[in-house]
Amino acid sequence: MTSTDLHDITILAVGALSDHAATRIPGIFSVLRMEKGDAALVTPEMASSVRGIAAFGAVNADLIDALPKLEIIASFGVGYDAVDARHAASRGIMVTNTPDVLTEEVADTALGLLINAVRELPRAEAYLRAGRWESEGAYPLTGATLRGRRAGIFGMGRIGQAIAKRLEACGMSVAYHNRRQVDGLAYDYHPTLVSLAEAVDTLISVVPGGASTLKAVDMTVLKALGPKGVFVNIGRGTTVDEEALAKALADGTILAAGLDVFADEPRVPTALLDLPNATLLPHVGSASVHTRNAMADLVADNLESWFSKGEAITAVPETADAKPKAR
Ligand code: NAP
Ligand code: 8YV
């Protein structure tokens, strides 16, 4: 299909597009916009014309069913828990995500969160800005250090492995838990999350959201991590029992936490906001212009490849067998 033909194809852009996405996708396709993924917002024009979704927000089964000509959902982000991929698969609809292009950025953010949590850098900066260095003297020495720490990675996938390399460079030992041991990886494998938490003092969660990881990091895991324990979450907020985490941080069950993700974003529980030993970020793991542009390009490239060659570039496993509809 020529690029002129691609302009005859209608893509529904769901959610807030970055400037780059808002230039790139309409440069290829005809684009309709929807502020958030909601079947009630589907117009007759959308229902009769939309063949692809560029998903910058959630896409549920009702929205999929409201678009009878839909062939592909190209989701922005490697985690696609907000897209009902199983439902899409049942209707033969392709779902793509944006792996790899964000891996190193997110791993950098995880390391930053860990150092912030262990060495209290945000608190030290706040101390300086409040004039306390001048009035009270040096910021107190931190009780914790990276030296001698033993890290456990919950989710040793693409990002987990990039984090592991950084932790090794910091002199830390690394172990991990996945459902399956990764072939050819020398790090110690633990068949359960509790056994991993017992073996380490630094737990980094980078698993996808969804039913299999829901509240996996609970009080049992936090107790196993112990009083010197530092917990970092760069994966999904739903993977943690946030009430248990706030309690564990408040009563010394663990030492500190660094969190980029929360169960009900952008709302962050007051119990976490109130804790001095929690360092908190507003889901900025991949949030540089460089990386977000690369993610937007992969969304556009997946749509372009699907409609011009009949192939997606980065299909999610649930829809790997989906094929273009004959027209
Ligand atoms: P990936 O390569 O698919 O790695 C995911 C890892 O999690 C795999 O090793 C997988 O191994 C493991 N896993 C999945 N379900 C599990 C379960 N129930 N129990 C134990 N381990 C499980 O994905 P990735 O590219 O590294 O991305 C990981 C996640 O990071 C994304 O899904 C997303 O939620 C999050 N993320 C966050 C940000 C941010 O801005 N904070 C940015 C990018 C990504 P097994 O299948 O063997 O279990
Ligand atoms: C993005 C992410 O912030 O890729 C992911 O899974 O969580 C982040 O890179 C998010 O997908 C965009 O809203």
Side-chain angles (χ1 to χ4, degrees), residues 176-264:
Y176 73 101
H177 165 65
N178 276 359
R179 288 166 299 187
R180 286 169 292 271
Q181 189 163 3
V182 181
D183 285 344
L185 211 58
Y187 306 122
D188 282 350
Y189 172 71
H190 289 262
T192 68
L193 180 55
V194 172
S195 132
L196 176 68
E198 277 166 354
V200 302
D201 54 22
T202 307
L203 182 65
I204 301 182
S205 181
V206 61
V207 277
S212 78
T213 55
L214 188 66
K215 295 192 180 180
V217 179
D218 57 11
M219 190 52 95
T220 306
V221 170
L222 296 166
K223 279 188 177 154
L225 191 58
K228 291 187 178 159
V230 174
F231 172 65
V232 168
N233 193 5
I234 193 81
R236 282 290 181 267
T238 53
T239 65
V240 181
D241 178 343
E242 288 180 332
E243 210 178 308
L245 176 61
K247 190 169 177 306
L249 286 163
D251 69 13
T253 300
I254 67 168
L255 183 71
L259 310 172
D260 185 48
V261 286
F262 302 89
D264 184 26

Side-chain angles (χ1 to χ4, degrees), residues 22-286:
T23 308
R24 175 89 209 273
I25 299 171
I28 311 168
F29 297 102
S30 169
V31 173
L32 298 174
R33 305 283 288 261
M34 183 183 270
E35 192 187 336
K36 64 180 173 98
D38 181 350
L41 300 177
V42 172
T43 62
E45 183 192 8
M46 291 172 186
S48 64
S49 66
V50 168
R51 292 177 59 193
I53 290 180
F56 294 82
V59 175
N60 64 18
D62 288 346
L63 180 56
I64 292 171
D65 288 343
L67 299 167
K69 295 193 167 164
L70 187 63
E71 292 178 44
I72 176 168
I73 303 165
S75 185
F76 181 78
V78 66
Y80 55 95
D81 43 315
V83 175
D84 195 335
R86 273 206 217 158
H87 188 70
S90 75
R91 285 204 32 205
I93 293 166
M94 170 59 70
V95 177
T96 64
N97 63 346
T98 61
D100 301 316
V101 294
L102 45 61
T103 295
E104 302 301 328
E105 199 80 72
V106 180
D108 291 347
T109 312
L111 182 63
L113 265 178
L114 175 62
I115 296 175
N116 280 355
V118 169
R119 296 297 322 287
E120 304 176 12
L121 299 186
R123 284 161 75 182
E125 182 169 356
Y127 183 90
L128 177 155
R129 288 181 185 279
R132 295 177 63 190
W133 188 13
E134 206 175 338
S135 61
E136 297 176 37
Y139 183 79
L141 305 185
T142 61
T145 172
L146 285 190
R147 310 279 76 73
R149 278 201 166 266
R150 291 164 292 138
I153 297 189
F154 175 32
M156 188 62 98
R158 290 168 291 239
I159 301 171
Q161 290 177 42
I163 295 170
K165 279 189 201 149
R166 285 158 174 74
L167 300 179
E168 281 191 291
C170 292
M172 298 174 69
S173 65
V174 177
Y176 73 101
H177 165 65
N178 276 359
R179 288 166 299 187
R180 286 169 292 271
Q181 189 163 3
V182 181
D183 285 344
L185 211 58
Y187 306 122
D188 282 350
Y189 172 71
H190 289 262
T192 68
L193 180 55
V194 172
S195 132
L196 176 68
E198 277 166 354
V200 302
D201 54 22
T202 307
L203 182 65
I204 301 182
S205 181
V206 61
V207 277
S212 78
T213 55
L214 188 66
K215 295 192 180 180
V217 179
D218 57 11
M219 190 52 95
T220 306
V221 170
L222 296 166
K223 279 188 177 154
L225 191 58
K228 291 187 178 159
V230 174
F231 172 65
V232 168
N233 193 5
I234 193 81
R236 282 290 181 267
T238 53
T239 65
V240 181
D241 178 343
E242 288 180 332
E243 210 178 308
L245 176 61
K247 190 169 177 306
L249 286 163
D251 69 13
T253 300
I254 67 168
L255 183 71
L259 310 172
D260 185 48
V261 286
F262 302 89
D264 184 26
E265 297 173 2
R267 284 160 289 277
V268 177
T270 312
L272 290 174
L273 290 171
D274 287 346
L275 288 164
N277 53 345
T279 173
L280 311 173
L281 295 177
H283 200 147
V284 294
S286 66

